[in-house]
């Protein structure tokens, strides 16, 4: 192991930090001081955190947390822990820009549901984590704050759209991080930065509040962490029914970190690979992911190759229609105003224009195709307990490039085609977690998706936990700049 040449407080994982705070081994003020100093030193290397709040104000809030503990009061698991919110989620009293000049000075008066829940659990909001404009694309750059770069190579991308969150986690700028996922935005940046990211089951974490009470069924908020336990703890804070979100799951509150240990002897695992050559992959991606299959076999799983028996080109068209439809609904008014349209990046304009061309019949057909895809995945889960799939098709690429134009010798026809590997779990509403599986010869990380049946979030966490205990990639390979 390489010891980290950083403050021991920021080297703690979130679970360990929470325990230290509640045992009064460290004060909330000491924690905040350690993190503010670490952020000042290392955030400029990756540009992960933006809209940072005043340090003296944050120290005052930490003092209030210490006073509460002195009275025997704790607000929850995150009491006194620094947290930065993804810059797509509304934060009352703190700029929420969506990475767009159209919202450069937007200061919401109300928290998003997930933000309110982490505040209620005691988190102290230090700022926001950087995103691509409107969260569009898996490269976290925008005109307001610039580009977030990779924790392992600062000349390369962090992924997206939760790129700021993932890079901040890997750089120990945050103990744990929130994110959101429409097209792999919790999974791709986790893979690119050697951390964990869970896209929960649809409805597990209430999204919004948003005007799209019934229409928005692609995006979901969720947790990221350096350990599976941290991911499970944050999911416990984020999850749960909210009456403002009618499609949120009405489950009893639970601690997802309880019962993570499990015997996987004989558990059936299906390997989807590159969908029989349908998905182009950069050299080395499949090699790392296929090597990781031996880890699951060592855990006792029975691993075999499988396919869903579905036309993947049909699934891509289904995806494009759903995405065009939703992005047009969100940005169509801005596009209609020539002055505002000029401030939308070309990819955002392309999405809106795709929505303008859609017919009702196409949208209905895409809904049928999505249902057929869910049924195909359900049939696979009659045979397998879990499915495995790469979390990305490329390694982190040059941060000066908006998106890869060619992957595995094939031209990419859209700005997000290179992330096609993540759309399956999204469209089926399934829980999917990116777990680290190692590094290529250039020292760049890669991840693998563990996909579970509908609403089997805890089971996915259990398999990820077992894999973590066996491999310990986060512990073994921290970013070089933190090793002194």
């Amino acid at each position: 192991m390489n010891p980290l040449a950083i403050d021991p407080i920021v080297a703690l994982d979130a679970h360990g930090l929470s325990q230290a705070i509640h045992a009064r081994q460290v004060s909330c003020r000491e924690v905040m001081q350690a993190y503010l100093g670490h952020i000042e030193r290392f955030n400029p290397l990756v540009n992960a955190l933006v809209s940072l709040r005043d340090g003296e104000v944050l120290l005052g809030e930490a003092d209030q947390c210490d006073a509460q503990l002195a009275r025997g009061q704790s607000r929850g698991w995150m009491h006194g822990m620094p947290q930065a919110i993804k810059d797509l989620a509304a934060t009352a009293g703190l700029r929420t820009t969506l990475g767009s000049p159209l919202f450069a000075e937007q200061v919401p008066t109300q928290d998003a549901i997930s933000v309110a829940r982490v505040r209620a659990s005691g988190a102290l909001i230090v700022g926001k984590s950087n995103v691509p404009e409107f969260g569009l694309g898996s490269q976290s750059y925008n005109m307001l704050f610039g580009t977030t770069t990779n924790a392992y190579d600062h000349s390369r991308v962090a992924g997206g759209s939760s790129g700021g969150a993932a890079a901040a986690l890997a750089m120990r700028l945050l103990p744990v991080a929130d994110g959101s996922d429409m097209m792999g935005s919790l999974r791709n940046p986790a893979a690119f930065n050697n951390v964990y990211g869970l896209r929960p089951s649809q409805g597990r974490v209430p999204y919004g509040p948003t005007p799209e009470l019934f229409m928005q069924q692609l995006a979901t908020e969720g947790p990221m962490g350096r350990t599976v336990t941290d991911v499970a703890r944050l999911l416990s804070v984020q999850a749960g029914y909210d009456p403002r979100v009618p499609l949120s799951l009405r489950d009893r509150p639970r601690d997802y970190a309880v019962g993570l240990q499990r015997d996987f002897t004989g558990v059936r695992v299906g390997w989807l690979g590159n969908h029989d050559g349908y998905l182009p992959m950069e050299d080395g991606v499949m090699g790392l992911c296929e090597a990781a299959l031996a880890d699951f076999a060592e855990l006792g799983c029975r691993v075999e190759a499988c396919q869903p028996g579905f036309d993947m080109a049909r699934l891509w068209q289904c995806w494009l229609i759903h995405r065009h439809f939703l992005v047009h609904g969100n940005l169509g008014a801005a596009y209609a105003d020539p002055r505002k349209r000029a401030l939308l990046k070309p990819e955002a304009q392309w999405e809106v224009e795709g929505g303008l061309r859609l017919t009702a019949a196409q949208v209905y057909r895409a809904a049928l195709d999505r249902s057929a895809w869910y049924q195909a995945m359900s049939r696979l889960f009659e045979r397998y307990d879990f499915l495995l799939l790469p979390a990305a098709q490329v390694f982190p690429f040059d941060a000066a490039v908006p998106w890869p134009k060619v992957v595995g010798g094939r031209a990419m026809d859209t700005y997000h085609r290179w992330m096609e590997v993540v759309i399956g779990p999204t469209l089926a509403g399934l829980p999917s977690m990116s777990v680290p599986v190692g590094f290529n010869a250039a020292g760049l990380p890669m991840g693998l998706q563990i996909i579970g049946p509908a609403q089997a979030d805890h089971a996915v966490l259990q398999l990820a936990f077992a894999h973590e205990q066996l491999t310990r990639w986060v512990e073994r390979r921290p970013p070089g700049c933190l090793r002194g």
Side-chain angles (χ1 to χ4, degrees):
M1 305 288 179
N2 289 303
L4 297 179
I6 57 177
D7 191 304
I9 290 176
V10 301
L12 290 170
D13 59 36
H15 179 59
L17 179 61
S18 179
Q19 288 181 317
I21 289 172
H22 285 89
R24 309 299 295 279
Q25 294 169 348
V26 295
S27 69
C28 298
R29 171 173 271 267
E30 289 171 328
V31 170
M32 185 59 70
Q33 284 175 324
Y35 269 95
L36 291 177
H38 190 74
I39 289 168
E40 182 178 10
R41 179 182 175 192
F42 286 103
N43 188 52
L45 296 180
V46 290
N47 189 37
L49 302 183
V50 299
S51 299
L52 290 165
R53 296 177 62 212
D54 180 77
E56 289 303 315
V57 173
L58 289 167
L59 288 170
E61 292 179 1
D63 288 340
Q64 293 173 19
C65 287
D66 282 326
Q68 290 173 319
L69 288 176
R71 297 192 297 267
Q73 301 170 349
S74 169
R75 287 156 58 194
W77 174 68
M78 303 183 78
H79 188 94
M81 287 170 50
Q83 172 78 329
I85 303 299
K86 185 174 178 178
D87 203 19
L88 299 183
T91 44
L94 179 61
R95 272 206 307 174
T96 301
T97 73
L98 316 181
S100 167
L102 293 175
F103 297 96
E105 302 304 325
Q106 175 180 251
V107 179
T109 58
Q110 183 181 20
D111 281 333
I113 294 169
S114 62
V115 177
R117 289 179 174 181
V118 299
R119 280 200 209 265
S121 188
L124 301 180
I125 309 302
V126 300
K128 307 301 285 280
S129 59
N130 200 28
V131 298
E133 181 180 318
F134 296 110
L136 298 176
S138 289
Q139 218 281 53
S140 294
Y141 70 95
N142 60 67
M143 292 172 59
L144 294 179
F145 301 115
T147 303
T148 295
T149 58
N150 193 279
Y152 287 83
D153 183 339
H154 308 323
S155 71
R156 294 178 180 263
V157 301
S161 60
S162 307
L169 262 179
M171 294 289 287
R172 278 61 175 175
L173 305 178
L174 299 173
V176 71
D178 72 280
S180 55
D181 187 306
M182 184 181 189
M183 191 180 181
S185 292
L186 282 157
R187 294 163 282 163
N188 160 246
F192 277 11
N193 289 276
N194 193 43
V195 295
Y196 295 89
L198 171 67
R199 177 191 168 92
S201 293
Q202 195 66 42
R204 177 73 64 209
V205 176
Y207 186 76
T210 169
E212 303 163 333
L213 291 181
F214 295 96
M215 194 61 68
Q216 175 55 275
Q217 295 183 50
L218 289 183
T220 178
E221 286 159 324
M224 306 179 81
R226 292 192 297 273
T227 72
V228 176
T229 297
D230 288 352
V231 171
R233 294 270 186 221
L234 183 54
L235 178 64
S236 303
V237 172
Q238 295 174 324
Y241 177 74
D242 188 290
R244 292 169 292 177
V245 183
L247 299 182
S248 58
L249 300 178
R250 194 186 282 272
D251 292 342
R252 287 184 296 178
R254 66 178 297 180
D255 184 347
Y256 285 92
V258 172
L260 287 179
Q261 198 112 21
R262 173 181 164 186
D263 181 10
F264 282 93
T265 302
V267 166
R268 305 161 302 171
V269 175
W271 164 237
L272 296 171
N274 59 8
H275 288 303
D276 279 344
Y278 172 80
L279 294 172
M281 297 278 177
E282 182 179 349
D283 287 346
V285 171
M286 287 292 286
L288 276 177
C289 292
E290 286 171 342
L293 301 182
D295 299 333
F296 294 92
E298 188 172 342
L299 293 172
C301 299
R302 301 202 312 264
V303 184
E304 64 181 50
C306 68
Q307 290 301 320
F310 194 91
D311 181 356
M312 302 308 292
R314 173 187 174 194
L315 189 69
W316 177 249
Q317 290 304 311
C318 169
W319 168 258
L320 287 181
I321 290 171
H322 276 89
R323 190 171 171 103
H324 284 333
F325 179 66
L326 289 171
V327 176
H328 170 264
N330 187 35
L331 298 180
Y335 180 90
D337 182 333
R339 291 174 300 174
K340 292 181 178 179
R341 183 189 307 173
L343 296 176
L344 296 176
K345 69 178 182 179
E347 293 83 0
Q349 296 187 39
W350 176 81
E351 293 279 15
V352 173
E353 289 162 359
L356 288 170
R357 292 191 295 269
L358 288 177
T359 66
Q362 288 175 304
V363 174
Y364 182 71
R365 168 52 59 184
L368 295 181
D369 288 343
R370 185 179 183 185
S371 298
W373 168 248
Y374 174 80
Q375 291 159 356
M377 292 294 277
S378 295
R379 288 191 293 272
L380 264 186
F381 282 117
E382 293 173 3
R383 182 172 179 183
Y384 301 102
D385 302 296
F386 300 93
L387 300 172
L388 302 178
L389 186 65
Q393 293 167 239
V394 300
F395 290 99
F397 52 89
D398 186 343
V401 175
W403 47 278
K405 301 299 192 296
V406 177
V407 174
R410 294 190 215 170
M412 299 290 98
D413 57 352
T414 75
Y415 75 102
H416 47 18
R417 189 67 181 253
W418 61 278
M419 282 300 300
E420 189 173 358
V421 70
V422 297
I423 67 172
T426 292
L427 285 168
L430 303 176
S432 178
M433 187 165 185
S434 178
V435 301
V437 292
F439 296 75
N440 69 1
L444 299 174
M446 183 45 58
L448 180 73
Q449 296 179 78
I450 298 174
I451 306 165
Q455 301 186 32
D457 304 63
H458 191 251
V460 168
L461 287 164
Q462 287 177 319
L463 183 53
F465 181 78
H467 185 262
E468 175 192 29
Q469 303 312 298
L470 179 67
T471 61
R472 298 192 178 276
W473 279 113
V474 178
E475 184 181 344
R476 286 164 55 192
R477 288 287 294 269
C481 61
L482 302 183
R483 297 199 293 262

